[in-house]
Amino acid sequence: MTREQLVAQIYAKRSYLCVGLDTDIAKIPAHLLANPDAIFHFNKTIIDATRETCVAYKINTAFYEALGTKGWDAMERTVHYIGAGHFKIADAKRGDIGNTSDQYARAFFETLPFDAVTVAPYMGEDSVRPFLEYDGKWAIVLGLTSNKGARDFELQASGGGLLYEKVLTTVSKWGTAQNLMFVVGATQAEAFTRIRELVPDHFLLVPGVGAQGGSLQEISEKAMTKDCGLLVNASRAVIYASAQENFAGAAAAVAIQYQEEMGRYL
């Protein structure tokens, strides 16, 4: 999906919501567990309930890889079921020496029909470059994350600034605003003004709204651009809105709330 197509979806739906399919077999409604295909059935139901109110889905691959081949199969079926009308993110946090990243890119962009992959930048340009070589595909590079460990490296001083600032300014030169996004955690709201000074045009993928307490209003006010420039991810707040048989309706209701609020900021 190109930037133009993504922006068109955002304004058509008045939403920049990304639903995170961090599907944990231990957290899905208990009545689904009798289904031998419980993970895919849960995902399918959530997708059907939210596809009109979101523009993207983010599949955290760890929750599927943990289940072995059965989990990988559920992930593959899920990304195909989402279809071409939504921006599909593999939250895999890959990044390795060039020939290994070549294979990761091939896995998610050729074998699987994802539009984007999250990438760790620590190993440098040759570890990120393969993800930038596909037309209409994106690398979403970790910038400033919302976890406590961000203080260990990302928020440490480096070369007259902070390390995450160096990551943003350096990595932004490897690609363009057409194929490169950055992950910025919603709980780091005080940094969004500075981040927009460093990367004024790139889309930001923002996890941490909802269960982690990030403020959608504050993020939108500080980081939105003329063509939105944001994908705000909500995972647990949407997909685990209810553990009862009405889980799909509850998920739809939460997604609608996000959409309605986002419509006021666009």
Side-chain angles (χ1 to χ4, degrees), residues 109-143:
F109 292 157
E110 296 184 32
T111 304
L112 298 171
F114 283 99
D115 297 293
V117 183
T118 56
V119 179
Y122 182 77
M123 291 182 67
E125 182 176 1
D126 59 325
S127 69
V128 177
R129 175 62 55 189
F131 300 98
L132 299 171
E133 299 295 329
Y134 288 78
D135 290 340
K137 304 291 187 178
W138 300 72
I140 307 180
V141 175
L142 301 180

Side-chain angles (χ1 to χ4, degrees), residues 225-257:
T225 65
K226 64 182 186 303
D227 57 1
C228 186
L230 293 171
L231 289 175
V232 173
N233 182 81
S235 299
R236 287 171 285 174
V238 175
I239 68 174
Y240 302 135
S242 172
Q244 307 304 314
E245 292 190 10
N246 70 334
F247 73 95
V254 173
I256 288 170
Q257 290 176 359

Side-chain angles (χ1 to χ4, degrees), residues 15-28:
S15 172
Y16 41 101
L17 175 63
C18 175
V19 172
L21 296 172
D22 300 358
T23 306
D24 186 341
I25 191 69
K27 293 181 179 179
I28 66 174

Side-chain angles (χ1 to χ4, degrees), residues 6 18 56-58 87-94 109 115-121 128 131-132 137-143 171 179-184 203-207 231:
L6 176 57
C18 175
Y57 290 97
K58 181 175 71 66
F87 192 74
K88 301 176 293 295
I89 302 167
D91 188 5
K93 299 180 180 67
R94 298 303 200 251
F109 292 157
D115 297 293
V117 183
T118 56
V119 179
V128 177
F131 300 98
L132 299 171
K137 304 291 187 178
W138 300 72
I140 307 180
V141 175
L142 301 180
V171 175
N179 67 356
L180 182 63
M181 300 186 189
F182 292 97
V183 176
V184 180
F203 259 80
L204 305 178
L205 173 63
V206 185
L231 289 175

Side-chain angles (χ1 to χ4, degrees), residues 17 209-211 216 234 237-238 253-263:
L17 175 63
V209 166
L216 177 58
V238 175
V254 173
I256 288 170
Q257 290 176 359
Y258 279 119
Q259 180 195 36
E260 290 177 344
E261 184 177 357
M262 288 173 175

